[in-house]
Amino acid sequence: MIAQLQGKLVEKTPTHVVIDCGGVGYHINISLHTYSLLPNTDFIKLFTHLQVKEDAHTLFGFIEKSEREIFKLLLSVSGVGASIARTMLSSLDPKQITNAIGSADVATIQSVKGIGSKTAQRLILDLKEKVLKLYDLDEVLVSQSNTNRDEALSALEVLGFVRKNSEKIIEKIVKEDPEASVESIIKRALKIL
């Protein structure tokens, strides 16, 4: 119903802002991510989401449209309410959330206060396909710090291979043989590419 608000910033805290729009002050709940991006001007614009319950109408505000979309996606999951969604967006930035869901990184999602393993798994199960499609991601690869992997990837890039394709193949090789040398990773990848 209320898609965005634009007006004079009257009050600003890490959890909410009050925006004066034509003499009416709107109390808008925000995440720490949005708080960190708020401009130092008196005049601001926030994209909003209005949550209507029997006992309250609550406005949530976001500096970026993408953060609002992720908030709505999180709310669509059974067992995830507005406070957990806002806590997630305060603990992780939107890109970290989409990457964690896309790569089925339960540990990252569980690191958010109030999210247990069941909720983390449900989030991944319900949203993985949507996140991959919406953000045009292929299976997001969890990047482990493996210097051989990184060196092999750089070498393949220098040889003119597309990074995205090379990453997938190298990831598969490193999964099968974590101790593989740079040379063997490159040789095996070249056979597949």
Side-chain angles (χ1 to χ4, degrees):
M1 186 179 148
I2 300 173
Q4 70 180 38
L5 285 173
Q6 188 167 300
K8 186 177 181 348
L9 183 63
V10 179
E11 189 181 323
K12 172 179 155 182
T13 74
T15 56
H16 76 273
V17 292
V18 174
I19 298 178
D20 182 334
C21 301
V24 178
Y26 290 90
H27 180 280
I28 306 166
N29 294 294
I30 58 170
S31 67
L32 284 175
H33 178 71
T34 288
Y35 179 74
S36 69
L37 297 175
L38 284 174
N40 286 328
T41 59
D42 283 350
F43 191 78
I44 66 165
K45 173 182 169 181
L46 290 180
F47 298 101
T48 59
H49 173 76
L50 176 65
Q51 185 178 50
V52 179
K53 289 186 170 179
E54 313 88 53
D55 58 344
H57 289 217
T58 313
L59 264 176
F60 294 90
F62 312 94
I63 224 73
E64 305 165 324
K65 261 187 180 169
S66 59
E67 186 184 7
R68 179 178 64 181
E69 297 318 305
I70 291 166
F71 182 78
K72 287 179 178 178
L73 274 178
L74 294 172
L75 289 181
S76 72
V77 176
S78 168
V80 176
S83 64
I84 287 181
R86 185 167 71 152
T87 302
M88 273 188 87
L89 287 163
S90 293
S91 304
L92 306 166
D93 67 48
K95 193 165 184 62
Q96 287 174 309
I97 293 172
T98 54
N99 286 342
I101 292 169
S103 63
D105 184 356
V106 177
T108 299
I109 295 170
Q110 244 185 296
S111 71
V112 176
K113 187 181 184 303
I115 294 185
S117 69
K118 277 188 179 168
T119 305
Q121 288 166 350
R122 191 177 311 117
L123 267 164
I124 291 166
L125 189 69
D126 289 2
L127 300 181
K128 187 172 182 177
E129 291 302 312
K130 288 179 188 171
V131 163
L132 293 176
K133 202 178 295 171
L134 247 156
Y135 296 93
D136 197 30
L137 303 167
D138 290 328
E139 291 283 321
V140 181
L141 303 169
V142 184
S143 56
Q144 288 126 357
S145 57
N146 181 327
T147 50
N148 288 354
R149 181 184 135 275
D150 297 341
E151 282 181 41
L153 191 55
S154 302
L156 289 171
E157 260 186 302
V158 170
L159 292 172
F161 291 98
V162 180
R163 185 178 179 89
K164 214 174 195 180
N165 300 343
S166 305
E167 263 181 343
K168 283 182 186 175
I169 291 163
I170 288 176
E171 209 59 49
K172 197 186 270 184
I173 294 167
V174 171
K175 224 178 235 173
E176 291 167 9
D177 182 10
E179 300 303 310
S181 69
V182 178
E183 295 81 18
S184 89
I185 294 173
I186 294 170
K187 284 178 185 171
R188 287 167 66 182
L190 286 172
K191 286 178 187 170
I192 300 167
L193 291 164

